[in-house]
Amino acid sequence: MGSLSTTGFWRRTAWVMSSYASTVKALIHGRQLHFRKPVRPVSNHALLVAMYETPNLPANGSLPFTIDEVDIVKDLCPSLHLQPVTPSLRKDDVLRELQACRIFHFAGHGSSDLAEPSRSCLLLEDWKTNPLTVGDLRDHRLQENPPFLGFFSACSTGANKVAKLADEGINLINAFQLAGFRHVVGTLWEVSNMHCVDVARVLYETLRDEGMTDVAVCRGLHRAVRALRDGGIAADGLRDGALISGTTEGRGATDAYRIPYVHFGV
């Protein structure tokens, strides 16, 4: 195989939209769910969670751009024929609303557990005593009325940093897809607080303009990542609970903030 220059790589990404599945079986299963008749009418709820502050993190894990991000999604909901729903920021309430949502958008901190990947979690107000983990999603099956899209604007939602379990796909992205979500957008490591706003805006604007279809989700993320590549927006703040706590090193200034975003779906 010949070498591939950086210029050649980015020229190719202009024409290729990347999408992933944890296994072939998961891909087939996700497509089969699309043809099942739902038990209840399809929901039009957009479950929106913005963690402006997260207890038990330094400086309360402040992420000021989460409010801007969720407000953008909320403003786009009418054109997407969705009804925004904002639950209390606690695990039990979020899990309850997950049972009847079309879209789940989370903007906040994520944490990847180095010792036990199934304990990786989204950080809500009660994350210290009652975290929303990979294991919880595994136990809450949503296939009877599968949601369309889960968008996790948080760090490391697709990460599994345990070497001996590297081929197991134990992370939040896969957990939400196996629970029933048709599409999941997440990240492989730390992401910029400011950049997340633009990624969400471009993706949901694509859904608005093209309809809530499978290809529109993938194309929307593709367009968002390309916009970040060409826009030169400065980074400001990260969405990784472990990183803020000082137990994880950043990837360094030379790493592009656009790279971590990933789409899993059918």
Side-chain angles (χ1 to χ4, degrees):
M1 178 182 290
S3 62
L4 179 63
S5 68
T6 302
T7 301
F9 171 77
W10 288 117
R11 186 177 296 121
R12 284 160 176 79
T13 60
W15 302 102
V16 176
M17 297 190 299
S18 297
S19 184
Y20 302 89
S22 56
T23 64
V24 173
K25 182 178 180 180
L27 179 63
I28 294 172
H29 180 64
R31 291 185 172 179
Q32 288 174 339
L33 286 176
H34 180 66
F35 297 103
R36 291 184 185 176
K37 185 177 180 179
V39 175
R40 297 187 298 271
V42 175
S43 172
N44 70 336
H45 287 181
L47 179 58
L48 308 178
V49 173
M51 292 297 298
Y52 177 80
E53 292 184 339
T54 304
N56 298 298
L57 289 181
N60 281 327
S62 179
L63 292 172
F65 288 102
T66 57
I67 301 297
D68 296 334
E69 179 179 334
V70 167
D71 282 347
I72 285 174
V73 180
K74 185 182 296 184
D75 289 343
L76 285 167
C77 278
S79 60
L80 292 166
H81 308 290
L82 295 173
Q83 174 66 43
V85 175
T86 53
S88 71
L89 304 177
R90 303 181 69 82
K91 170 185 168 179
D92 290 342
D93 287 339
V94 171
L95 281 176
R96 187 182 310 109
E97 294 294 343
L98 277 176
Q99 305 296 323
C101 74
R102 181 74 167 155
I103 284 177
F104 176 33
H105 188 99
F106 175 88
H109 286 294
S111 179
S112 179
D113 193 298
L114 298 178
E116 177 51 67
S118 66
R119 292 200 296 262
S120 297
C121 62
L122 299 177
L123 273 56
L124 296 163
E125 285 184 348
D126 55 349
W127 72 275
K128 201 72 172 176
T129 57
N130 193 23
L132 178 55
T133 67
V134 168
D136 291 320
L137 271 301
R138 184 177 55 209
D139 298 334
H140 284 73
R141 312 291 284 179
L142 307 173
Q143 286 91 344
E144 289 186 354
N145 294 279
F148 180 72
L149 171 64
F151 191 120
F152 304 108
S153 197
C155 292
S156 305
T157 50
N160 176 359
K161 301 177 183 179
V162 181
K164 66 180 181 180
L165 299 175
D167 61 343
E168 296 295 329
I170 306 173
N171 55 55
L172 285 161
I173 290 179
N174 283 332
F176 274 96
Q177 190 173 34
L178 291 175
F181 278 78
R182 186 167 178 81
H183 297 278
V184 184
V185 173
T187 61
L188 298 177
W189 57 79
E190 300 85 25
V191 286
S192 155
N193 184 24
M194 182 183 293
H195 282 145
C196 290
V197 179
D198 295 284
V199 173
R201 175 182 55 79
V202 174
L203 188 147
Y204 285 104
E205 286 178 347
T206 302
L207 293 180
R208 176 198 63 194
D209 297 340
E210 300 187 9
M212 206 174 297
T213 65
D214 296 334
V215 69
V217 177
C218 186
R219 183 179 288 124
L221 184 63
H222 176 74
R223 287 174 174 169
V225 171
R226 287 188 62 192
L228 283 184
R229 182 193 70 185
D230 300 333
I233 303 170
D236 183 14
L238 298 172
R239 296 191 178 181
D240 188 293
L243 185 67
I244 286 179
S245 300
T247 58
T248 304
E249 296 182 359
R251 295 187 64 84
T254 59
D255 285 308
Y257 283 96
R258 62 187 174 269
I259 296 174
Y261 295 96
V262 63
H263 166 252
F264 274 63
V266 299

